[in-house]
Amino acid sequence: MTFAIQSLELGPMENFVYLIHDLSSNRAAVVDPAWEVAKLVKLAEKQDIEITDVLLTHSHYDHINGLNELLQTYDAEIHLLKSEAQFWDHDLDQPTIHYGGDRLEIGKTSIEILHTPGHTPGSACYHLDGNLITGDTLFLFGCGRCDFNGGNPEQMYNSLKKLGSELNPETIIHPGHNYAHKCTSTMAEQLEGNPFMQINDLDKFIDYRMHQHDLERDTPYSPIIL
């Protein structure tokens, strides 16, 4: 393994902020810097890790509110999908714009960027050697809301179907929030116990995501069979 993934649960919305540490170069990428940035910096400094990159899964406030503070400490390169940059319409200092299917390299660690719209138009998941960092696209036994500005339940349905059909069942899922009884899962477990991965009819998916789900379920999520 060329890398290690470390997580911190930060802020009032139970966000997971991830540090992808390339072991060969001691470089690291932060996924979705938010909330208590000092804790993230302390973790990196304790391990003598240099944060050189920032990967954004999407641009909602609870995933980016620590970005400026982090950039005061590290001159890091920001990565996001073009469609998310257009949706966010935020004045970033020369971010690196990507498209779905692009790869980026952190030392010897190769990261594939997957375009998974639904929560926002440019939501991204980051796929690296059997691991998937999902932001607010896929939670453990849940998925991101589609009723905010930029949300689209049909796109979410297609994104989840694509992830479920194309990724290895043993892929480890690292979600954007701690909304379940555990912190990680496998794609196989999600295909079996995540209600959003079980529905095979678009209209039923839209009705469940937009109307039924939030009335019927509370966190922490557990596996269910519809």
Side-chain angles (χ1 to χ4, degrees):
M1 187 73 72
T2 64
F3 63 89
I5 298 177
Q6 302 178 66
S7 66
L8 290 171
E9 183 183 338
L10 301 174
M13 301 175 71
E14 302 169 287
N15 285 70
F16 281 130
V17 176
Y18 293 99
L19 192 70
I20 303 173
H21 176 199
D22 176 70
L23 302 177
S24 67
S25 64
N26 229 25
R27 292 173 53 192
V30 175
V31 183
D32 290 354
W35 307 110
E36 302 158 84
V37 171
K39 292 184 178 180
L40 179 64
V41 171
K42 183 177 180 180
L43 176 64
E45 290 179 343
K46 183 177 181 180
Q47 301 178 64
D48 196 28
I49 296 171
E50 180 68 19
I51 295 174
T52 59
D53 296 83
V54 172
L55 315 183
L56 300 182
T57 65
H58 65 294
S59 57
H60 282 163
Y61 175 80
D62 62 307
H63 288 257
I64 55 86
N65 64 60
L67 179 59
N68 289 336
E69 183 178 348
L70 183 69
L71 295 178
Q72 292 174 10
T73 303
Y74 298 101
D75 184 21
E77 184 175 356
I78 302 168
H79 303 266
L80 75 166
L81 288 175
K82 181 177 181 179
S83 49
E84 192 66 12
Q86 293 171 334
F87 169 69
W88 190 11
D89 194 25
H90 184 72
D91 186 19
L92 293 170
D93 185 17
Q94 296 183 329
T96 299
I97 299 299
H98 294 279
Y99 299 87
D102 285 358
R103 285 187 174 271
L104 60 95
E105 309 294 327
I106 310 295
K108 293 184 178 179
T109 300
S110 180
I111 303 171
E112 182 183 13
I113 307 171
L114 306 180
H115 184 199
T116 54
H119 186 61
T120 63
S123 286
C125 294
Y126 295 96
H127 184 219
L128 56 163
D129 193 19
N131 293 266
L132 187 71
I133 298 175
T134 57
D136 285 5
T137 296
L138 177 62
F139 299 138
L140 303 193
F141 311 110
C143 79
R145 295 178 62 160
C146 301
D147 56 343
F148 296 146
N149 179 36
N152 185 308
E154 180 174 352
Q155 290 181 338
M156 180 67 82
Y157 174 82
N158 291 327
S159 291
L160 295 179
K161 287 301 178 189
K162 187 177 178 67
L163 292 176
S165 64
E166 295 186 358
L167 295 183
N168 189 304
E170 298 308 310
T171 300
I172 300 172
I173 308 300
H174 304 266
H177 293 269
N178 187 15
Y179 286 166
H181 286 286
K182 57 183 181 176
C183 299
T184 63
S185 179
T186 65
M187 183 60 74
E189 289 176 322
Q190 295 311 301
L191 290 170
E192 180 179 357
N194 188 324
F196 294 105
M197 306 294 281
Q198 298 171 33
I199 300 174
N200 293 312
D201 178 271
L202 175 59
D203 290 336
K204 291 181 179 178
F205 180 93
I206 292 174
D207 182 62
Y208 186 68
R209 173 62 279 180
M210 303 300 285
H211 304 294
Q212 297 183 46
H213 177 267
D214 293 342
L215 297 175
E216 297 176 358
R217 299 183 78 202
D218 294 313
T219 57
Y221 295 144
S222 298
I224 63 171
I225 304 297
L226 289 180

